Amino acid sequence: MSAEELKGYLAVATDIAKKVGPAFKDGFWRRGQFASMSDFGAEDKQGNEADCVTAVDRYIEMTVFAHLRSIYPQHKFVGEETTAECGDDYLVTDDPTWIVDPVDGTNNFVHHFPFTGISIGLAINKVPVVGVIYLPILDELYTAAHGQGAFLNGQPLPLFGPPMLTSPTSLSQCALVTEHGSHRSEAVMGSRMRSLTRLMLAKEHGGACVQNLRVTGGACPDLCLVAKGVADLYWECGPHAWDFAAGAVIVTESGGAVFDGAGWWGADIAQSERTLKPLNVWNRKVAAVRYIPDLPGQPGSGQELQKQLVRELLEAVEDIPYPPDGVQ
């Protein structure tokens, strides 16, 4: 895939995100075509009271895919609403595949909390290579393509560089973003709460003592915070490919790194085999870390610190088994 081809894909995704932005804002503020609450139609998704879908989700996904199909009729398409309503039995291939979340953070959207937006990612050979996240209410447009850097409203990411960005050497110096997820069974929530407790617990009590924990309500804004450099780490088990495909590109192109997020706490894995695995966007487990500058006189130390922090994170959290997205 040439750099020019990637630029073309990125330009198309960016243009489409901007085009559906006004409809997103209308839905958020319940005006225009979404002024009537009966037309808005917030519904439980597949009977899950902790998750919902609106007319805006469906309208934006339909509009985005219609534009993309008119330009790239041979490409594959995976969207949150079409996939959620038709089941997860789609085939994951090496073909160019557009992965779209029309309203990431729908619960935020419904409750007028501005951390919500549109995510458009493109995977080739099953790996995300283009990412666009538009947070219309915050007027933040994040764009990235493999090998070409990441940007917020045209400004290179991360927003801050040395000395404003430090080189944290432990989780106790880090701000962590995560989500509680929409699966509320006792087993899943118990696992999540145990992991978060270990992450926040003081070191003298066996915890990692992360400096602070943030929950914004959406994977897209979480990953944008990491790419900006205002959050150090993101971890979650259970999101879908459309939740973080675009964000993974934006984080890596900002100088950050993304890895498989399957936790190691309590796992029957020998210490010698506890190595970081590359992110598989279809496996629903992700750990991301922001850009970290090198320590003075130590080239490459920033990347080593990134890996060290993710290792500490995975040592503290439990894996939660989830079926992968699609048929691989």
Side-chain angles (χ1 to χ4, degrees):
M1 184 60 56
S2 72
E4 287 305 312
E5 287 176 295
L6 287 175
K7 284 181 182 178
Y9 291 140
L10 179 60
V12 167
T14 302
D15 182 61
I16 292 173
K18 290 178 179 178
K19 283 181 177 176
V20 296
F24 187 101
K25 291 179 181 178
D26 281 351
F28 185 89
W29 298 115
R30 315 292 198 271
R31 66 190 183 196
Q33 70 188 91
F34 303 108
S36 168
M37 290 301 291
S38 61
D39 291 339
F40 185 71
E43 309 163 7
D44 292 346
K45 185 179 289 186
Q46 295 184 323
N48 184 352
E49 293 178 331
D51 202 0
C52 65
V53 60
T54 73
V56 186
D57 295 78
R58 295 188 176 110
Y59 174 82
I60 290 179
E61 184 170 306
M62 177 185 67
T63 303
V64 169
F65 280 163
H67 279 292
L68 288 171
R69 284 192 176 100
S70 70
I71 303 170
Y72 307 114
Q74 303 303 316
H75 287 191
K76 301 291 192 302
F77 301 88
V78 174
E80 177 175 13
E81 305 320 324
T82 51
T83 300
E85 291 180 4
C86 300
D88 297 326
D89 296 331
Y90 58 90
L91 180 65
V92 176
T93 73
D94 289 337
D95 295 335
T97 303
W98 292 94
I99 308 168
V100 173
D101 190 343
V103 180
D104 180 74
T106 303
N107 283 325
N108 286 353
F109 184 88
V110 169
H111 291 281
H112 303 285
F113 190 66
F115 286 85
T116 176
I118 305 153
S119 176
I120 303 175
L122 173 66
I124 298 176
N125 296 324
K126 302 185 182 74
V127 177
V129 293
V130 169
V132 173
I133 293 176
Y134 184 27
L135 309 180
I137 311 306
L138 298 177
D139 192 29
E140 294 184 349
L141 177 65
Y142 296 83
T143 58
H146 178 68
Q148 298 179 27
F151 301 86
L152 166 57
N153 295 339
Q155 183 175 352
L157 292 173
L159 290 184
F160 313 104
M164 296 176 69
L165 272 181
T166 59
S167 298
T169 57
S170 76
L171 290 185
S172 61
Q173 298 171 307
C174 293
L176 172 73
V177 283
T178 189
E179 298 300 329
H180 47 61
S182 59
H183 294 112
R184 304 298 173 82
S185 70
E186 185 175 0
V188 169
M189 292 309 299
S191 177
R192 289 189 191 279
M193 292 303 104
R194 288 191 298 271
S195 292
L196 296 183
T197 297
R198 280 190 294 274
L199 286 168
M200 292 186 289
L201 201 63
K203 288 185 176 180
E204 58 264 32
H205 298 294
C209 197
V210 294
Q211 201 163 62
N212 63 67
L213 178 71
R214 300 169 182 168
V215 178
T216 72
C220 287
D222 287 347
L223 287 162
C224 289
L225 291 173
V226 173
K228 285 169 71 173
V230 300
D232 301 292
L233 292 155
Y234 163 72
W235 168 77
E236 194 176 358
C237 284
H240 292 277
W242 47 79
D243 292 311
F244 61 94
V249 184
I250 293 166
V251 168
T252 55
E253 287 300 311
S254 71
V258 292
F259 301 95
D260 183 280
W264 296 339
W265 178 271
D268 187 18
I269 305 173
Q271 285 293 331
S272 60
E273 297 177 7
R274 294 191 176 194
T275 57
L276 298 178
K277 298 178 181 178
L279 176 69
N280 180 336
V281 74
W282 308 100
N283 277 355
R284 303 180 61 188
K285 299 170 186 183
V286 57
V289 57
R290 69 158 167 89
Y291 162 75
I292 296 178
D294 289 338
L295 296 167
Q298 300 183 41
S301 57
Q303 291 182 342
E304 288 306 311
L305 285 171
Q306 287 177 328
K307 295 175 183 177
Q308 174 187 318
L309 293 174
V310 175
R311 288 190 193 98
E312 287 186 37
L313 171 65
L314 296 183
E315 289 282 3
V317 298
E318 300 175 20
D319 185 36
I320 303 176
Y322 280 97
D325 281 331
V327 179
Q328 301 179 54

